[in-house]
């Protein structure tokens, strides 16, 4: 068995029921995606629009593509016809722009609201209070072509696993609060996207439903995009 096949099998076996594995294929060639696909993997993640678009064109059309990178409004149009879920919505403006592009294709795009809980300033996302402010304002309720499916977040890049756990727990509590206050009647609001190769086990313990694994499946990335 190839290393990719072995890794897919291992993750699929070890993740609890209800936790979806997203294979993050950024920087890896489409042959690697194909190999994972041939093992039954269907959810893949990319963080650059152009790279996503090239892979989408070349690969089987039943792949569910997750966009997990920072997104500019002018790039939405390239993936609006096919993207399965956008994890990185960090403003009302972006949410409205996604809605508009989805409308042009007569479809509904799944989105997650990205929350910022990590220490680093470089990580994107809404601060907790900004998120509640946006939901309280209510404008999102009129957007027919986006489905808000939950939240996404990242922990700080640190070896301190106590801190990582505290941050994932924070994301879970933010999800719970949003659920109770705004999405209690919406079954589709159920996803918590958190956990990468180095910290996914903790993320799952804290309630993750979508883990985003790159290195752990495809091997070492030699450059960071
Ligand atoms: C690259 C990336 C991942 C995957 O990280 P690995 O450490 O390779 O598992 C997960 N989430 C986001 C947002 C990423 O950019």
């Amino acid at each position: 068995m190839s290393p990719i096949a072995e890794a897919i099998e291992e993750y699929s076996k070890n993740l609890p029921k209800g936790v979806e594995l997203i294979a993050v294929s950024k920087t890896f060639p489409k042959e690697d995606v194909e190999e994972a696909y041939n093992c039954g993997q269907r959810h893949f993640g990319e963080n650059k629009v152009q790279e996503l678009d090239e892979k989408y064109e070349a690969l089987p059309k039943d792949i569910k593509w997750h966009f997990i990178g920072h997104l500019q409004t002018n790039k939405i149009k390239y993936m609006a016809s096919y993207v399965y879920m956008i994890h990185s919505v960090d403003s009302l403006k972006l949410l409205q722009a996604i809605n508009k592009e989805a409308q042009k294709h007569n479809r509904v795009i799944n989105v997650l609201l990205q929350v910022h809980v990590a220490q680093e300033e470089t990580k994107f996302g809404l601060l907790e209070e900004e998120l509640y402010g946006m939901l309280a304002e209510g404008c999102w309720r009129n957007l027919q072509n986006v489905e808000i499916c939950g939240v996404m977040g990242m922990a700080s890049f640190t070896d301190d696993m106590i801190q990582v756990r505290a941050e994932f727990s924070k994301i879970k509590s933010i999800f719970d609060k949003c659920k109770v206050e705004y999405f209690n009647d919406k079954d589709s609001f159920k996803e918590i996207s958190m956990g990468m190769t180095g910290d996914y086990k903790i993320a799952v313990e804290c309630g993750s439903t979508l883990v985003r694994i790159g290195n752990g499946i495809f091997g070492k990335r030699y450059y960071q995009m």
Side-chain angles (χ1 to χ4, degrees), residues 92 95-96 99 132 134-148 178-186:
L92 179 62
L95 188 66
Q96 288 168 324
N99 186 69
Y132 300 147
M134 178 178 141
L135 292 173
E137 194 268 341
C139 193
W140 55 274
R141 293 183 195 274
N142 303 322
L143 306 175
Q144 302 292 320
N145 295 78
V146 286
E147 185 80 55
I148 302 176
C178 292
K179 179 75 187 169
V180 168
E181 291 192 11
Y182 298 101
F183 298 97
N184 234 342
D185 57 338
K186 288 230 191 282

Side-chain angles (χ1 to χ4, degrees), residues 24 26 47 68 152 154 196-197 212-216 221:
V24 177
K26 67 182 187 200
N47 72 339
I68 61 173
M152 180 271 217
M154 290 164 93
M196 322 194 337
T197 300
R212 310 179 307 268
I213 309 287
N215 289 215
R221 219 179 286 114

Side-chain angles (χ1 to χ4, degrees), residues 90-151:
D90 59 1
S91 70
L92 179 62
K93 182 172 148 257
L94 186 58
L95 188 66
Q96 288 168 324
I98 294 168
N99 186 69
K100 195 171 152 193
E101 292 300 325
Q103 210 166 21
K104 290 181 187 166
H105 296 276
N106 204 9
R107 64 188 295 260
V108 174
I109 296 179
N110 299 314
V111 301
L112 301 176
L113 302 173
Q114 184 173 358
V115 292
H116 177 111
V117 298
Q119 297 288 320
E120 297 100 303
E121 282 175 25
T122 53
K123 286 201 169 121
F124 295 104
L126 292 150
L127 297 174
E128 186 178 6
E129 294 312 319
E130 290 175 330
L131 172 61
Y132 300 147
M134 178 178 141
L135 292 173
E137 194 268 341
C139 193
W140 55 274
R141 293 183 195 274
N142 303 322
L143 306 175
Q144 302 292 320
N145 295 78
V146 286
E147 185 80 55
I148 302 176
C149 297
V151 302

